[in-house]
Amino acid sequence: MRLVFLGAPGAGKGTQAKRLEADRGWTVVATGDLLRAAIAQNTPLGQQAHAYIQRGELVPDPIVNQIVAERLATLDSFILDGYPRNLTQAEMLASMLTKPLDAVIYFELGEDALIKRLGGRRVCPQCQAVYHITANPSKAGERCERCGAMLITREDDRPETIRKRFQVFHEQTAPLIEYYQQRGLLRIVDADATPDEVYQRLLSVL
Ligand code: AP5
């Protein structure tokens, strides 16, 4: 299965992608996670990407396209989380695929709920597990229940950066909804429910 997960920051793309990967074995390719790993390792790519992520802007297309092309080259089934993010990336994706996409899932959620999700998110800097202080708290309190590391707030989850990310989503990413609708690939999932309920909705559209 070849899927794209689309949605505003905080819509739950990563949460649902990891769950589907665990369930079905389709590899998640999450550009945000790959970029953050490069930043943590201080690679040249990470150094280039860091300032863009801190400002809540998109990292330049050539950098992201290259990361995705390298990953997809070895995968038959995948879930793309956070890519494509604009029309140029969507065209690039179409040109790199040897088999067509099966579906593009748009996780739909209003801005008030998005802000609550991003404001309460805590992440593990070591194993990348994602929690929420009320909706999905770690059983180990302020530590990761999987690996024991201290949980942190993502640096782009500050209110001013969240505002910029929403603006970027509306201006650059939202046009992809119509782009994929016109190609008959779009499936909409109402993401305003518990993670379990959203997962059931996802399975039913698949
Ligand atoms: P990226 O990491 O992709 O961030 P994003 O798209 O803004 O999405 P998020 O990770 O913030 O949210 P999500 O939808 O995955 O939600 P989550 O499941 O975590 O990108 C970060 C940056 O990298 C970009 O700004 C850009 O700079 C760069 N970048 C990445 N891709 C790029 C590209 N293609 N081109 C250029 N630049 C790129 O859930 C959020 C919270 O809600 C969590 O706390 C979770 O526990 C909780 N939650 C999840 N589901 C539910 C639910 N159903 N109910 C209650 N709480 C829930």
Side-chain angles (χ1 to χ4, degrees):
M1 189 68 103
R2 288 170 298 283
L3 301 174
V4 165
F5 278 13
L6 199 61
K13 305 178 295 294
T15 300
Q16 298 298 329
K18 283 176 189 149
R19 196 156 171 174
L20 197 58
E21 178 182 52
D23 216 8
R24 301 292 166 99
W26 305 328
T27 304
V28 175
V29 178
T31 42
D33 287 348
L34 294 169
L35 291 166
R36 281 184 291 277
I39 292 168
Q41 289 155 19
N42 202 24
T43 65
L45 186 149
Q47 288 167 8
Q48 277 180 282
H50 197 181
Y52 294 96
I53 292 186
Q54 277 180 320
R55 291 195 298 264
E57 295 170 7
L58 294 187
V59 174
D61 293 335
I63 298 177
V64 184
N65 289 336
Q66 192 190 334
I67 296 176
V68 174
E70 282 167 10
R71 293 276 158 163
L72 293 195
T74 57
L75 293 173
D76 194 45
S77 289
F78 55 80
I79 305 164
L80 273 170
D81 167 13
Y83 182 95
R85 281 289 236 278
N86 57 30
L87 291 167
T88 311
Q89 292 182 10
E91 295 292 346
M92 185 65 193
L93 174 62
S95 74
M96 57 174 99
L97 289 176
T98 50
K99 292 182 197 163
L101 291 172
D102 291 295
V104 174
I105 313 294
Y106 173 49
F107 293 91
E108 195 170 41
L109 191 64
E111 200 156 303
D112 288 349
L114 292 169
I115 289 169
K116 280 190 196 136
R117 288 193 188 176
L118 293 173
R121 175 161 58 187
R122 299 292 179 270
V123 297
C124 175
Q126 210 153 281
C127 73
Q128 320 308 328
V130 176
Y131 301 94
H132 188 277
I133 51 173
T134 54
N136 178 29
S138 166
K139 294 187 182 79
E142 290 178 10
R143 290 187 174 275
C144 177
E145 66 186 35
R146 282 209 251 154
C147 73
M150 279 300 284
L151 299 178
I152 57 166
T153 300
R154 247 169 65 173
E155 63 177 351
D156 57 349
D157 278 348
R158 287 188 297 259
E160 65 279 13
T161 317
I162 289 173
R163 272 195 298 278
K164 178 67 185 174
R165 288 163 64 205
F166 284 163
Q167 184 195 343
V168 168
F169 174 77
H170 290 301
E171 290 174 3
Q172 300 190 48
T173 310
L176 293 180
I177 298 167
E178 196 185 331
Y179 174 91
Y180 284 119
Q181 199 154 32
Q182 285 170 354
R183 284 157 182 77
L185 287 168
L186 195 77
R187 307 284 179 274
I188 298 176
V189 169
D190 177 358
D192 194 6
T194 66
D196 285 348
E197 286 165 336
V198 176
Y199 189 63
Q200 289 312 315
R201 292 173 187 180
L202 169 63
L203 292 183
S204 69
V205 302
L206 289 177

PDB file of all heavy atoms in Angstrom, residues 126-147:
ATOM      1  N   GLN A 126      14.944  10.740  22.551  1.00  0.00           N
ATOM      2  CA  GLN A 126      15.774   9.552  22.314  1.00  0.00           C
ATOM      3  C   GLN A 126      15.112   8.569  21.334  1.00  0.00           C
ATOM      4  O   GLN A 126      15.716   8.172  20.361  1.00  0.00           O
ATOM      5  CB  GLN A 126      16.018   8.844  23.639  1.00  0.00           C
ATOM      6  CG  GLN A 126      17.345   8.110  23.700  1.00  0.00           C
ATOM      7  CD  GLN A 126      17.808   8.012  25.133  1.00  0.00           C
ATOM      8  OE1 GLN A 126      18.332   8.971  25.698  1.00  0.00           O
ATOM      9  NE2 GLN A 126      17.579   6.867  25.731  1.00  0.00           N
ATOM     10  N   CYS A 127      13.835   8.174  21.624  1.00  0.00           N
ATOM     11  CA  CYS A 127      13.204   7.147  20.769  1.00  0.00           C
ATOM     12  C   CYS A 127      12.074   7.727  19.931  1.00  0.00           C
ATOM     13  O   CYS A 127      11.417   6.990  19.204  1.00  0.00           O
ATOM     14  CB  CYS A 127      12.713   5.977  21.621  1.00  0.00           C
ATOM     15  SG  CYS A 127      11.249   6.338  22.602  1.00  0.00           S
ATOM     16  N   GLN A 128      11.852   9.042  19.995  1.00  0.00           N
ATOM     17  CA  GLN A 128      10.854   9.763  19.159  1.00  0.00           C
ATOM     18  C   GLN A 128       9.399   9.432  19.512  1.00  0.00           C
ATOM     19  O   GLN A 128       8.501   9.769  18.746  1.00  0.00           O
ATOM     20  CB  GLN A 128      11.046   9.528  17.634  1.00  0.00           C
ATOM     21  CG  GLN A 128      12.453   9.494  17.114  1.00  0.00           C
ATOM     22  CD  GLN A 128      13.288  10.689  17.527  1.00  0.00           C
ATOM     23  OE1 GLN A 128      12.771  11.782  17.683  1.00  0.00           O
ATOM     24  NE2 GLN A 128      14.575  10.500  17.745  1.00  0.00           N
ATOM     25  N   ALA A 129       9.151   8.756  20.661  1.00  0.00           N
ATOM     26  CA  ALA A 129       7.757   8.499  21.052  1.00  0.00           C
ATOM     27  C   ALA A 129       7.054   9.842  21.267  1.00  0.00           C
ATOM     28  O   ALA A 129       7.666  10.823  21.687  1.00  0.00           O
ATOM     29  CB  ALA A 129       7.715   7.682  22.337  1.00  0.00           C
ATOM     30  N   VAL A 130       5.752   9.873  20.962  1.00  0.00           N
ATOM     31  CA  VAL A 130       4.976  11.119  21.060  1.00  0.00           C
ATOM     32  C   VAL A 130       3.855  10.928  22.076  1.00  0.00           C
ATOM     33  O   VAL A 130       3.128   9.937  22.028  1.00  0.00           O
ATOM     34  CB  VAL A 130       4.370  11.496  19.682  1.00  0.00           C
ATOM     35  CG1 VAL A 130       3.483  12.725  19.798  1.00  0.00           C
ATOM     36  CG2 VAL A 130       5.484  11.749  18.670  1.00  0.00           C
ATOM     37  N   TYR A 131       3.732  11.887  23.003  1.00  0.00           N
ATOM     38  CA  TYR A 131       2.702  11.834  24.052  1.00  0.00           C
ATOM     39  C   TYR A 131       1.901  13.124  24.008  1.00  0.00           C
ATOM     40  O   TYR A 131       2.248  14.080  23.321  1.00  0.00           O
ATOM     41  CB  TYR A 131       3.353  11.691  25.430  1.00  0.00           C
ATOM     42  CG  TYR A 131       4.214  10.467  25.571  1.00  0.00           C
ATOM     43  CD1 TYR A 131       5.590  10.523  25.325  1.00  0.00           C
ATOM     44  CD2 TYR A 131       3.656   9.247  25.946  1.00  0.00           C
ATOM     45  CE1 TYR A 131       6.383   9.394  25.450  1.00  0.00           C
ATOM     46  CE2 TYR A 131       4.441   8.110  26.076  1.00  0.00           C
ATOM     47  CZ  TYR A 131       5.800   8.191  25.826  1.00  0.00           C
ATOM     48  OH  TYR A 131       6.581   7.063  25.949  1.00  0.00           O
ATOM     49  N   HIS A 132       0.839  13.123  24.820  1.00  0.00           N
ATOM     50  CA  HIS A 132       0.090  14.363  25.043  1.00  0.00           C
ATOM     51  C   HIS A 132      -0.231  14.426  26.534  1.00  0.00           C
ATOM     52  O   HIS A 132      -0.614  13.400  27.118  1.00  0.00           O
ATOM     53  CB  HIS A 132      -1.191  14.392  24.211  1.00  0.00           C
ATOM     54  CG  HIS A 132      -1.873  15.718  24.258  1.00  0.00           C
ATOM     55  ND1 HIS A 132      -2.714  16.079  25.290  1.00  0.00           N
ATOM     56  CD2 HIS A 132      -1.811  16.777  23.422  1.00  0.00           C
ATOM     57  CE1 HIS A 132      -3.146  17.308  25.079  1.00  0.00           C
ATOM     58  NE2 HIS A 132      -2.613  17.752  23.957  1.00  0.00           N
ATOM     59  N   ILE A 133      -0.081  15.592  27.130  1.00  0.00           N
ATOM     60  CA  ILE A 133      -0.182  15.673  28.598  1.00  0.00           C
ATOM     61  C   ILE A 133      -1.538  15.210  29.139  1.00  0.00           C
ATOM     62  O   ILE A 133      -1.604  14.688  30.235  1.00  0.00           O
ATOM     63  CB  ILE A 133       0.166  17.088  29.133  1.00  0.00           C
ATOM     64  CG1 ILE A 133      -0.629  18.160  28.385  1.00  0.00           C
ATOM     65  CG2 ILE A 133       1.652  17.366  29.053  1.00  0.00           C
ATOM     66  CD1 ILE A 133      -0.462  19.560  28.969  1.00  0.00           C
ATOM     67  N   THR A 134      -2.607  15.364  28.355  1.00  0.00           N
ATOM     68  CA  THR A 134      -3.904  14.862  28.834  1.00  0.00           C
ATOM     69  C   THR A 134      -4.451  13.709  27.980  1.00  0.00           C
ATOM     70  O   THR A 134      -4.929  12.712  28.506  1.00  0.00           O
ATOM     71  CB  THR A 134      -4.963  15.991  28.878  1.00  0.00           C
ATOM     72  OG1 THR A 134      -5.023  16.601  27.591  1.00  0.00           O
ATOM     73  CG2 THR A 134      -4.633  17.018  29.921  1.00  0.00           C
ATOM     74  N   ALA A 135      -4.343  13.826  26.647  1.00  0.00           N
ATOM     75  CA  ALA A 135      -4.965  12.810  25.778  1.00  0.00           C
ATOM     76  C   ALA A 135      -4.180  11.499  25.736  1.00  0.00           C
ATOM     77  O   ALA A 135      -4.749  10.435  25.519  1.00  0.00           O
ATOM     78  CB  ALA A 135      -5.126  13.356  24.360  1.00  0.00           C
ATOM     79  N   ASN A 136      -2.857  11.588  25.943  1.00  0.00           N
ATOM     80  CA  ASN A 136      -2.033  10.388  25.820  1.00  0.00           C
ATOM     81  C   ASN A 136      -0.776  10.550  26.691  1.00  0.00           C
ATOM     82  O   ASN A 136       0.348  10.612  26.189  1.00  0.00           O
ATOM     83  CB  ASN A 136      -1.648  10.190  24.337  1.00  0.00           C
ATOM     84  CG  ASN A 136      -0.751   8.996  24.140  1.00  0.00           C
ATOM     85  OD1 ASN A 136      -0.804   8.023  24.900  1.00  0.00           O
ATOM     86  ND2 ASN A 136       0.102   9.058  23.127  1.00  0.00           N
ATOM     87  N   PRO A 137      -0.973  10.641  28.051  1.00  0.00           N
ATOM     88  CA  PRO A 137       0.193  10.901  28.904  1.00  0.00           C
ATOM     89  C   PRO A 137       1.111   9.682  29.015  1.00  0.00           C
ATOM     90  O   PRO A 137       0.654   8.545  28.899  1.00  0.00           O
ATOM     91  CB  PRO A 137      -0.445  11.234  30.260  1.00  0.00           C
ATOM     92  CG  PRO A 137      -1.792  10.614  30.228  1.00  0.00           C
ATOM     93  CD  PRO A 137      -2.221  10.530  28.800  1.00  0.00           C
ATOM     94  N   SER A 138       2.390   9.951  29.260  1.00  0.00           N
ATOM     95  CA  SER A 138       3.338   8.849  29.504  1.00  0.00           C
ATOM     96  C   SER A 138       3.029   8.218  30.858  1.00  0.00           C
ATOM     97  O   SER A 138       2.785   8.940  31.836  1.00  0.00           O
ATOM     98  CB  SER A 138       4.766   9.394  29.499  1.00  0.00           C
ATOM     99  OG  SER A 138       5.635   8.424  30.032  1.00  0.00           O
ATOM    100  N   LYS A 139       3.075   6.894  30.919  1.00  0.00           N
ATOM    101  CA  LYS A 139       2.850   6.206  32.200  1.00  0.00           C
ATOM    102  C   LYS A 139       4.014   6.459  33.160  1.00  0.00           C
ATOM    103  O   LYS A 139       3.908   6.181  34.348  1.00  0.00           O
ATOM    104  CB  LYS A 139       2.686   4.705  31.969  1.00  0.00           C
ATOM    105  CG  LYS A 139       1.433   4.345  31.194  1.00  0.00           C
ATOM    106  CD  LYS A 139       1.228   2.829  31.149  1.00  0.00           C
ATOM    107  CE  LYS A 139      -0.002   2.462  30.339  1.00  0.00           C
ATOM    108  NZ  LYS A 139       0.230   2.500  28.878  1.00  0.00           N
ATOM    109  N   ALA A 140       5.116   6.990  32.651  1.00  0.00           N
ATOM    110  CA  ALA A 140       6.282   7.272  33.493  1.00  0.00           C
ATOM    111  C   ALA A 140       6.378   8.771  33.813  1.00  0.00           C
ATOM    112  O   ALA A 140       7.468   9.295  34.041  1.00  0.00           O
ATOM    113  CB  ALA A 140       7.545   6.790  32.793  1.00  0.00           C
ATOM    114  N   GLY A 141       5.261   9.478  33.800  1.00  0.00           N
ATOM    115  CA  GLY A 141       5.247  10.904  34.170  1.00  0.00           C
ATOM    116  C   GLY A 141       5.982  11.753  33.156  1.00  0.00           C
ATOM    117  O   GLY A 141       5.619  11.767  31.984  1.00  0.00           O
ATOM    118  N   GLU A 142       7.028  12.453  33.634  1.00  0.00           N
ATOM    119  CA  GLU A 142       7.749  13.342  32.719  1.00  0.00           C
ATOM    120  C   GLU A 142       8.820  12.604  31.930  1.00  0.00           C
ATOM    121  O   GLU A 142       9.574  13.206  31.163  1.00  0.00           O
ATOM    122  CB  GLU A 142       8.368  14.494  33.510  1.00  0.00           C
ATOM    123  CG  GLU A 142       7.288  15.448  34.021  1.00  0.00           C
ATOM    124  CD  GLU A 142       7.842  16.584  34.843  1.00  0.00           C
ATOM    125  OE1 GLU A 142       9.082  16.760  34.880  1.00  0.00           O
ATOM    126  OE2 GLU A 142       7.030  17.284  35.470  1.00  0.00           O
ATOM    127  N   ARG A 143       8.919  11.291  32.151  1.00  0.00           N
ATOM    128  CA  ARG A 143       9.891  10.497  31.394  1.00  0.00           C
ATOM    129  C   ARG A 143       9.170   9.635  30.364  1.00  0.00           C
ATOM    130  O   ARG A 143       7.982   9.362  30.493  1.00  0.00           O
ATOM    131  CB  ARG A 143      10.701   9.597  32.338  1.00  0.00           C
ATOM    132  CG  ARG A 143      11.643  10.391  33.206  1.00  0.00           C
ATOM    133  CD  ARG A 143      12.556   9.509  34.024  1.00  0.00           C
ATOM    134  NE  ARG A 143      13.519  10.344  34.726  1.00  0.00           N
ATOM    135  CZ  ARG A 143      14.667  10.777  34.199  1.00  0.00           C
ATOM    136  NH1 ARG A 143      15.013  10.416  32.981  1.00  0.00           N
ATOM    137  NH2 ARG A 143      15.486  11.549  34.892  1.00  0.00           N
ATOM    138  N   CYS A 144       9.922   9.181  29.365  1.00  0.00           N
ATOM    139  CA  CYS A 144       9.349   8.322  28.323  1.00  0.00           C
ATOM    140  C   CYS A 144       9.089   6.938  28.901  1.00  0.00           C
ATOM    141  O   CYS A 144       9.992   6.337  29.496  1.00  0.00           O
ATOM    142  CB  CYS A 144      10.335   8.245  27.152  1.00  0.00           C
ATOM    143  SG  CYS A 144       9.787   7.136  25.839  1.00  0.00           S
ATOM    144  N   GLU A 145       7.877   6.442  28.696  1.00  0.00           N
ATOM    145  CA  GLU A 145       7.557   5.122  29.264  1.00  0.00           C
ATOM    146  C   GLU A 145       8.265   3.994  28.525  1.00  0.00           C
ATOM    147  O   GLU A 145       8.367   2.892  29.020  1.00  0.00           O
ATOM    148  CB  GLU A 145       6.035   4.885  29.268  1.00  0.00           C
ATOM    149  CG  GLU A 145       5.433   4.791  27.898  1.00  0.00           C
ATOM    150  CD  GLU A 145       3.906   4.712  27.924  1.00  0.00           C
ATOM    151  OE1 GLU A 145       3.272   5.346  28.784  1.00  0.00           O
ATOM    152  OE2 GLU A 145       3.356   4.023  27.046  1.00  0.00           O
ATOM    153  N   ARG A 146       8.798   4.296  27.323  1.00  0.00           N
ATOM    154  CA  ARG A 146       9.481   3.251  26.552  1.00  0.00           C
ATOM    155  C   ARG A 146      10.971   3.181  26.881  1.00  0.00           C
ATOM    156  O   ARG A 146      11.528   2.113  27.040  1.00  0.00           O
ATOM    157  CB  ARG A 146       9.344   3.546  25.054  1.00  0.00           C
ATOM    158  CG  ARG A 146       7.992   3.179  24.515  1.00  0.00           C
ATOM    159  CD  ARG A 146       8.132   2.800  23.056  1.00  0.00           C
ATOM    160  NE  ARG A 146       7.554   3.826  22.216  1.00  0.00           N
ATOM    161  CZ  ARG A 146       7.912   4.077  20.964  1.00  0.00           C
ATOM    162  NH1 ARG A 146       8.841   3.400  20.388  1.00  0.00           N
ATOM    163  NH2 ARG A 146       7.310   5.024  20.286  1.00  0.00           N
ATOM    164  N   CYS A 147      11.634   4.364  26.963  1.00  0.00           N
ATOM    165  CA  CYS A 147      13.098   4.314  27.120  1.00  0.00           C
ATOM    166  C   CYS A 147      13.595   5.085  28.343  1.00  0.00           C
ATOM    167  O   CYS A 147      14.789   5.052  28.633  1.00  0.00           O
ATOM    168  CB  CYS A 147      13.784   4.824  25.855  1.00  0.00           C
ATOM    169  SG  CYS A 147      13.668   6.599  25.636  1.00  0.00           S
TER     170      CYS A 147
END
